[in-house]
Amino acid sequence: DLMATRYLALYRRVLGAPEVITTPATAPAPPPSPPPPLRVIGVSNPNFAGVTEAVRAWLQEGASWLDGNSVEWPGIILRDQPEVVLMGGDPGYIALAGDLRQRGYRGVIAASWHATHGFTAFAPQDGELLQHWEDALSRRIIDYLAFVNPGAATYRGWPREGILWLPNRVPPAPASYVPKMGGGLNIGVFGTNYPWRNQPQAVLAALSAGGVVHVNKLQGGRRWLPEQYRDRVVEHGFLPHDKFLPLLGSMRVNLQLSYTESFGRTYCESWRWGVPCVASPAVRPLAGAPLTASRPDDLREIVALIREAAEMENYVIDEVNARFDGLAREHDAAIASAWETMRRRRG
């Protein structure tokens, strides 16, 4: 202590030793504490599984998710007063966001937009819906319009005020792959049956390649299938995500031949689970990735790519997954930046 140091100095003077006075070392200042996590509530329509998966993945630790189909969620937000409400882009939420403002909610409201850009031939109504969201942004009903697709975000002026890029989180690879399903060339054509998903074309391509085709639900039933193919299509229904992923991973090849996509989650999850996926140009989140058809309706080319995928070496799958690891880091950094932008707005 300081008294002992002074006695030591006096002792040195008596002995004629040079005086050396030291002071006790001070502990380094602790690093600044990270800011507390924002109090956030996420809202999405669970009927849109991809949107809900994305919203849940965006939420920070401790955040709550509410079923957007429930009539109770606006009341919960007004009661709990979270700092941020993140909505999953359902157009019906615009009116509810306005109602929240009228009833006194002053936190940040952000809405995610999952369509590629809003003006595709397969979803012409998207342009009108997107305009409603942009009107809500200009009228300060919402604070941010967050685009999942980077091209769409840039097209809408990102990084201008009120526009965010909030990409999907790249799903992690499993600890180990599941065994492949036996009984022939099993090909997955999974996903909801929206017209832009192009399921009939993908099913016919898989059947033409000699495959046994696995779907969640066959669009239009089996009546449109040629008689000789009807026993080669297996419907599994829409499964919880933790049960769907092992099914996806048990295929030999998966297809996602959509005409438009914001991210292509099935495509990404397929590679992560060790299964090559033949994709249309609208799907691929990796530029120059293998097995990309030049058009989503070129049957001959797609059949050739299915056969190539069935013989693909494991090292190629590993290389694609390494690129997904890089994409995951890029997306995680963008998500963190979006949350920091919302934090500054709230702070």
Side-chain angles (χ1 to χ4, degrees):
D1 60 22
L2 187 59
M3 187 62 72
T5 300
R6 288 173 175 168
Y7 277 123
L8 179 59
L10 178 63
Y11 176 72
R12 287 177 178 278
R13 281 201 299 272
V14 171
L15 294 179
E19 182 177 342
V20 179
I21 299 178
T22 60
T23 57
T26 57
S33 301
L38 287 168
R39 291 180 293 106
V40 179
I41 288 180
V43 183
S44 63
N45 183 341
N47 294 333
F48 298 105
V51 175
T52 295
E53 284 290 328
V55 170
R56 285 180 174 275
W58 287 328
L59 296 178
Q60 299 175 314
E61 186 176 353
S64 302
W65 174 83
L66 299 178
D67 181 344
N69 287 340
S70 168
V71 297
E72 299 176 356
W73 71 262
I76 294 173
I77 288 171
L78 290 168
R79 181 196 69 197
D80 294 351
Q81 290 292 312
E83 294 172 278
V84 177
V85 176
L86 178 60
M87 296 178 169
D90 191 305
Y93 296 165
I94 298 175
L96 291 169
D99 184 60
L100 288 175
R101 292 299 192 206
Q102 288 182 353
R103 295 168 67 183
Y105 178 69
R106 295 294 176 261
V108 172
I109 298 180
S112 63
W113 184 259
H114 290 253
T116 306
H117 51 72
F119 298 103
T120 68
F122 296 91
Q125 73 276 17
D126 279 354
E128 183 179 349
L129 295 177
L130 179 56
Q131 188 60 55
H132 288 315
W133 278 114
E134 293 195 320
D135 290 345
L137 179 65
S138 65
R139 291 161 54 201
R140 305 285 178 162
I141 293 174
I142 63 173
D143 299 286
Y144 292 102
L145 187 53
F147 288 88
V148 172
N149 184 279
T154 302
Y155 180 73
R156 292 290 166 177
W158 174 72
R160 74 173 168 89
E161 180 69 18
I163 299 295
L164 295 176
W165 176 38
L166 190 59
N168 283 65
R169 286 197 189 275
V170 175
S176 59
Y177 297 147
V178 297
K180 300 304 177 202
M181 187 181 295
L185 175 59
N186 291 284
I187 301 173
V189 183
F190 296 112
T192 50
N193 297 337
Y194 300 122
W196 60 86
R197 289 281 164 79
N198 194 25
Q199 190 206 63
Q201 188 76 34
V203 168
L204 287 176
L207 291 169
S208 300
V212 177
V213 185
H214 299 259
V215 299
N216 297 111
K217 186 173 179 58
L218 192 62
Q219 183 177 332
R222 294 174 184 263
R223 62 182 180 275
W224 60 272
L225 285 173
E227 185 73 33
Q228 68 271 26
Y229 287 154
R230 291 181 183 176
D231 60 349
R232 285 170 46 197
V233 177
V234 182
E235 294 184 88
H236 295 269
F238 291 98
L239 306 170
H241 205 63
D242 60 340
K243 293 183 171 56
F244 166 68
L245 287 175
L247 173 64
L248 182 79
S250 69
M251 298 292 105
R252 184 79 169 274
V253 180
N254 285 307
L255 307 183
Q256 191 171 15
L257 299 173
S258 307
Y259 289 106
T260 180
E261 286 287 351
S262 61
F263 175 63
R265 186 176 184 86
T266 301
Y267 168 84
C268 181
E269 288 173 332
S270 179
W271 285 104
R272 295 304 255 172
W273 280 71
V275 182
C277 187
V278 177
S280 63
V283 170
R284 65 182 182 202
L286 290 177
L291 305 178
T292 302
S294 58
R295 297 203 331 259
D297 53 2
D298 188 329
L299 187 64
R300 181 175 297 180
E301 181 190 21
I302 293 167
V303 168
L305 288 172
I306 291 172
R307 290 170 178 160
E308 178 185 339
E311 302 298 325
M312 181 166 281
E313 299 283 352
N314 286 336
Y315 79 88
V316 180
I317 299 173
D318 293 342
E319 288 174 354
V320 173
N321 266 309
R323 294 175 63 190
F324 271 118
D325 290 338
L327 188 70
R329 291 188 291 270
E330 177 187 344
H331 281 201
D332 287 349
I335 293 167
S337 176
W339 279 114
E340 182 57 31
T341 298
M342 287 187 273
R343 181 189 300 281
R344 288 197 301 268
R345 178 68 169 262
R346 187 57 182 151

